[in-house]
Coordinates of all heavy atoms in Angstrom, one line a residue:
I1 N 21.9 3.0 -64.2 CA 20.5 3.5 -63.9 C 20.1 4.5 -64.8 O 19.0 4.5 -65.3 CB 20.5 3.9 -62.4 CG1 20.8 2.7 -61.4 CG2 19.2 4.5 -62.1 CD1 19.7 1.8 -61.2
L2 N 20.9 5.5 -64.9 CA 20.6 6.7 -65.8 C 20.3 6.3 -67.2 O 19.4 6.8 -67.8 CB 21.7 7.7 -65.7 CG 21.4 9.2 -66.1 CD1 20.4 9.8 -65.3 CD2 22.7 10.0 -66.2
D3 N 21.2 5.4 -67.7 CA 21.0 5.0 -69.1 C 19.7 4.2 -69.4 O 19.2 4.1 -70.5 CB 22.2 4.1 -69.5 CG 23.5 4.9 -69.7 OD1 23.4 6.2 -69.7 OD2 24.6 4.2 -69.7
A4 N 19.1 3.7 -68.3 CA 17.9 2.9 -68.4 C 16.6 3.7 -68.4 O 15.5 3.2 -68.7 CB 17.8 1.8 -67.3
I5 N 16.8 5.0 -68.0 CA 15.6 5.9 -67.9 C 15.0 6.2 -69.3 O 15.8 6.4 -70.2 CB 16.0 7.2 -67.1 CG1 16.4 6.9 -65.7 CG2 14.8 8.2 -67.2 CD1 16.9 8.1 -64.9
T6 N 13.7 6.1 -69.4 CA 13.0 6.5 -70.6 C 12.0 7.6 -70.3 O 11.8 8.0 -69.2 CB 12.2 5.3 -71.2 OG1 11.1 5.0 -70.4 CG2 13.1 4.0 -71.3
D7 N 11.3 8.0 -71.3 CA 10.3 9.1 -71.1 C 9.1 8.6 -70.3 O 8.2 9.3 -69.9 CB 9.9 9.7 -72.4 CG 9.3 8.7 -73.4 OD1 9.3 7.5 -73.1 OD2 8.8 9.2 -74.5
K8 N 9.0 7.2 -70.1 CA 8.0 6.6 -69.4 C 8.3 6.2 -67.9 O 7.5 5.7 -67.2 CB 7.4 5.4 -70.1 CG 6.7 5.8 -71.5 CD 6.1 4.6 -72.1 CE 5.5 5.0 -73.5 NZ 4.4 5.9 -73.4
T9 N 9.6 6.5 -67.6 CA 10.0 6.0 -66.2 C 9.4 6.9 -65.1 O 9.4 8.1 -65.2 CB 11.6 6.1 -66.1 OG1 12.2 5.4 -67.2 CG2 12.0 5.6 -64.8
I10 N 8.8 6.2 -64.1 CA 8.2 7.0 -63.0 C 8.7 6.6 -61.7 O 8.6 7.3 -60.7 CB 6.7 6.7 -63.0 CG1 6.4 5.1 -63.0 CG2 6.0 7.4 -64.2 CD1 4.9 4.8 -62.9
L11 N 9.4 5.4 -61.6 CA 9.9 4.9 -60.3 C 11.2 4.2 -60.4 O 11.3 3.4 -61.4 CB 8.8 4.1 -59.7 CG 9.2 3.3 -58.4 CD1 9.5 4.3 -57.2 CD2 8.1 2.4 -57.9
I12 N 12.1 4.4 -59.5 CA 13.4 3.7 -59.4 C 13.5 3.1 -58.0 O 13.3 3.9 -57.0 CB 14.6 4.5 -59.8 CG1 14.5 5.0 -61.3 CG2 15.9 3.7 -59.6 CD1 15.5 5.9 -61.7
S13 N 13.8 1.9 -57.8 CA 14.0 1.3 -56.5 C 15.3 0.5 -56.4 O 15.6 -0.5 -57.2 CB 12.9 0.3 -56.2 OG 13.0 -0.2 -54.9
V14 N 16.2 1.0 -55.5 CA 17.5 0.4 -55.3 C 17.8 0.2 -53.8 O 17.6 1.2 -53.1 CB 18.7 1.2 -56.0 CG1 20.0 0.5 -55.7 CG2 18.5 1.4 -57.5
M15 N 18.1 -1.0 -53.4 CA 18.3 -1.2 -52.0 C 19.5 -0.5 -51.4 O 20.5 -0.4 -52.2 CB 18.3 -2.7 -51.6 CG 19.5 -3.5 -52.1 SD 19.3 -5.3 -52.1 CE 18.3 -5.6 -50.7
L16 N 19.5 -0.1 -50.2 CA 20.7 0.6 -49.6 C 21.8 -0.4 -49.3 O 22.9 -0.2 -49.6 CB 20.2 1.3 -48.3 CG 21.3 2.1 -47.6 CD1 22.1 2.9 -48.4 CD2 20.6 2.9 -46.5
A17 N 21.4 -1.5 -48.7 CA 22.4 -2.6 -48.3 C 21.8 -3.9 -48.6 O 20.7 -4.2 -48.2 CB 22.8 -2.5 -46.9
N18 N 22.5 -4.8 -49.3 CA 22.1 -6.1 -49.7 C 22.0 -7.1 -48.5 O 22.9 -7.2 -47.7 CB 22.8 -6.7 -50.8 CG 22.3 -8.0 -51.3 OD1 22.6 -9.1 -50.9 ND2 21.3 -7.8 -52.2
N19 N 20.8 -7.8 -48.4 CA 20.6 -8.7 -47.3 C 21.4 -9.9 -47.3 O 21.7 -10.6 -46.3 CB 19.1 -9.1 -47.2 CG 18.6 -9.6 -48.5 OD1 18.6 -8.9 -49.6 ND2 18.1 -10.9 -48.6
E20 N 21.9 -10.3 -48.5 CA 22.7 -11.6 -48.6 C 24.3 -11.3 -48.5 O 24.9 -11.9 -47.7 CB 22.4 -12.3 -49.9 CG 21.0 -12.9 -49.8 CD 20.8 -13.9 -50.9 OE1 21.8 -14.6 -51.3 OE2 19.7 -14.0 -51.5
I21 N 24.7 -10.4 -49.3 CA 26.2 -10.1 -49.4 C 26.6 -8.9 -48.8 O 27.8 -8.6 -48.7 CB 26.7 -10.3 -50.9 CG1 26.0 -9.2 -51.7 CG2 26.4 -11.6 -51.4 CD1 26.6 -9.1 -53.2
G22 N 25.7 -8.1 -48.2 CA 26.0 -6.9 -47.5 C 26.5 -5.7 -48.2 O 26.8 -4.6 -47.6
T23 N 26.6 -5.7 -49.5 CA 27.1 -4.6 -50.3 C 26.2 -3.4 -50.1 O 25.0 -3.4 -50.2 CB 27.1 -5.0 -51.8 OG1 28.0 -6.1 -52.0 CG2 27.6 -3.8 -52.7
I24 N 26.9 -2.2 -49.9 CA 26.2 -0.9 -49.7 C 26.2 -0.2 -51.0 O 27.3 0.1 -51.5 CB 26.9 -0.1 -48.6 CG1 26.9 -1.0 -47.3 CG2 26.2 1.2 -48.4 CD1 27.8 -0.4 -46.1
Q25 N 25.1 0.2 -51.5 CA 24.9 0.8 -52.8 C 25.2 2.3 -52.7 O 24.9 3.0 -51.7 CB 23.6 0.5 -53.4 CG 23.3 -1.0 -53.6 CD 24.2 -1.6 -54.7 OE1 24.9 -1.0 -55.4 NE2 24.1 -2.9 -54.8
P26 N 25.6 2.9 -53.8 CA 25.8 4.4 -53.8 C 24.5 5.2 -54.1 O 24.3 5.8 -55.1 CB 26.7 4.5 -55.1 CG 26.4 3.4 -56.0 CD 26.0 2.3 -55.1
I27 N 23.6 5.1 -53.1 CA 22.3 5.6 -53.2 C 22.4 7.1 -53.4 O 21.6 7.7 -54.2 CB 21.5 5.3 -51.9 CG1 21.3 3.8 -51.8 CG2 20.1 6.0 -51.9 CD1 20.6 3.1 -52.9
K28 N 23.2 7.9 -52.6 CA 23.3 9.3 -52.8 C 23.6 9.7 -54.2 O 23.1 10.6 -54.8 CB 24.3 9.9 -51.8 CG 24.4 11.4 -51.8 CD 25.3 11.9 -50.7 CE 25.4 13.4 -50.7 NZ 26.3 13.9 -49.6
E29 N 24.6 9.0 -54.8 CA 25.1 9.3 -56.2 C 24.0 9.0 -57.1 O 23.7 9.8 -58.1 CB 26.3 8.5 -56.5 CG 26.8 8.7 -57.9 CD 27.9 7.7 -58.4 OE1 28.3 6.8 -57.5 OE2 28.4 7.8 -59.5
I30 N 23.2 7.9 -56.9 CA 22.1 7.5 -57.9 C 21.0 8.6 -57.7 O 20.5 9.1 -58.8 CB 21.6 6.2 -57.5 CG1 22.6 5.1 -57.8 CG2 20.3 5.9 -58.3 CD1 22.3 3.7 -57.3
A31 N 20.7 9.0 -56.6 CA 19.7 10.0 -56.4 C 20.1 11.4 -57.0 O 19.2 12.0 -57.7 CB 19.5 10.3 -54.8
E32 N 21.3 11.8 -56.9 CA 21.8 13.0 -57.6 C 21.6 12.9 -59.1 O 21.2 13.9 -59.7 CB 23.3 13.3 -57.2 CG 23.4 13.7 -55.8 CD 24.9 13.8 -55.3 OE1 25.8 13.3 -56.1 OE2 25.2 14.3 -54.2
K33 N 22.0 11.7 -59.6 CA 21.9 11.5 -61.1 C 20.4 11.6 -61.6 O 20.1 12.2 -62.6 CB 22.4 10.2 -61.6 CG 24.0 10.1 -61.3 CD 24.8 11.0 -62.2 CE 26.2 10.8 -62.1 NZ 27.1 11.8 -62.8
I34 N 19.5 11.0 -60.8 CA 18.1 11.0 -61.1 C 17.6 12.4 -61.0 O 16.8 12.9 -61.9 CB 17.3 10.1 -60.1 CG1 17.7 8.6 -60.3 CG2 15.8 10.3 -60.3 CD1 17.2 7.8 -59.2
R35 N 17.9 13.2 -60.0 CA 17.5 14.6 -59.8 C 18.0 15.4 -61.0 O 17.3 16.3 -61.5 CB 18.0 15.1 -58.5 CG 17.3 16.4 -58.1 CD 17.5 16.7 -56.7 NE 18.9 16.6 -56.2 CZ 19.3 15.6 -55.4 NH1 18.4 14.7 -55.0 NH2 20.6 15.6 -55.0
E36 N 19.3 15.2 -61.4 CA 19.8 16.0 -62.5 C 19.0 15.7 -63.8 O 18.7 16.7 -64.6 CB 21.3 15.7 -62.7 CG 22.2 16.3 -61.6 CD 23.6 15.7 -61.7 OE1 23.9 15.0 -62.7 OE2 24.4 16.0 -60.8
Y37 N 18.7 14.5 -64.0 CA 18.0 14.1 -65.2 C 16.6 14.6 -65.2 O 16.1 15.2 -66.2 CB 18.0 12.6 -65.3 CG 17.1 12.1 -66.5 CD1 17.8 11.8 -67.8 CD2 15.8 11.9 -66.5 CE1 17.0 11.4 -68.8 CE2 15.0 11.5 -67.5 CZ 15.7 11.2 -68.8 OH 14.9 10.8 -69.8
S38 N 15.9 14.5 -64.0 CA 14.6 15.0 -63.9 C 14.5 16.5 -64.1 O 13.6 17.0 -64.8 CB 14.0 14.7 -62.6 OG 14.0 13.3 -62.4
D39 N 15.4 17.3 -63.6 CA 15.4 18.7 -63.7 C 15.7 19.2 -65.2 O 15.1 20.1 -65.7 CB 16.5 19.3 -62.8 CG 16.2 19.3 -61.3 OD1 15.0 18.9 -61.0 OD2 17.1 19.4 -60.5
K40 N 16.6 18.5 -65.8 CA 17.0 18.8 -67.2 C 15.8 18.5 -68.2 O 15.6 19.2 -69.2 CB 18.2 18.0 -67.6 CG 18.7 18.3 -69.0 CD 19.9 17.5 -69.3 CE 20.4 17.7 -70.8 NZ 21.6 16.9 -71.1
N41 N 15.1 17.4 -67.8 CA 14.1 16.9 -68.8 C 12.6 17.2 -68.4 O 11.7 16.8 -69.0 CB 14.2 15.5 -69.0 CG 15.6 15.1 -69.8 OD1 15.7 15.2 -71.0 ND2 16.6 14.7 -69.0

């Protein structure tokens, strides 16, 4: 996710739990990475 961010990125959307296979995503970790990038840049 972090590697895909560009200077034009305004929105990121990642589901918390998948409706088909049930996988629970690391939303908190992703949010922390986004916040660190945003603060730094």
Side-chain angles (χ1 to χ4, degrees):
I1 296 283
L2 195 64
D3 289 345
I5 296 175
T6 73
D7 59 355
K8 295 185 181 298
T9 304
I10 54 174
L11 173 65
I12 297 172
S13 181
V14 179
M15 69 195 328
L16 179 48
N18 187 265
N19 53 300
E20 292 193 37
I21 60 174
T23 300
I24 300 169
Q25 300 293 353
I27 297 299
K28 183 176 181 178
E29 180 189 357
I30 295 170
E32 288 172 350
K33 296 293 185 184
I34 295 170
R35 188 161 54 249
E36 289 171 5
Y37 178 93
S38 298
D39 291 345
K40 180 180 178 181
N41 294 277

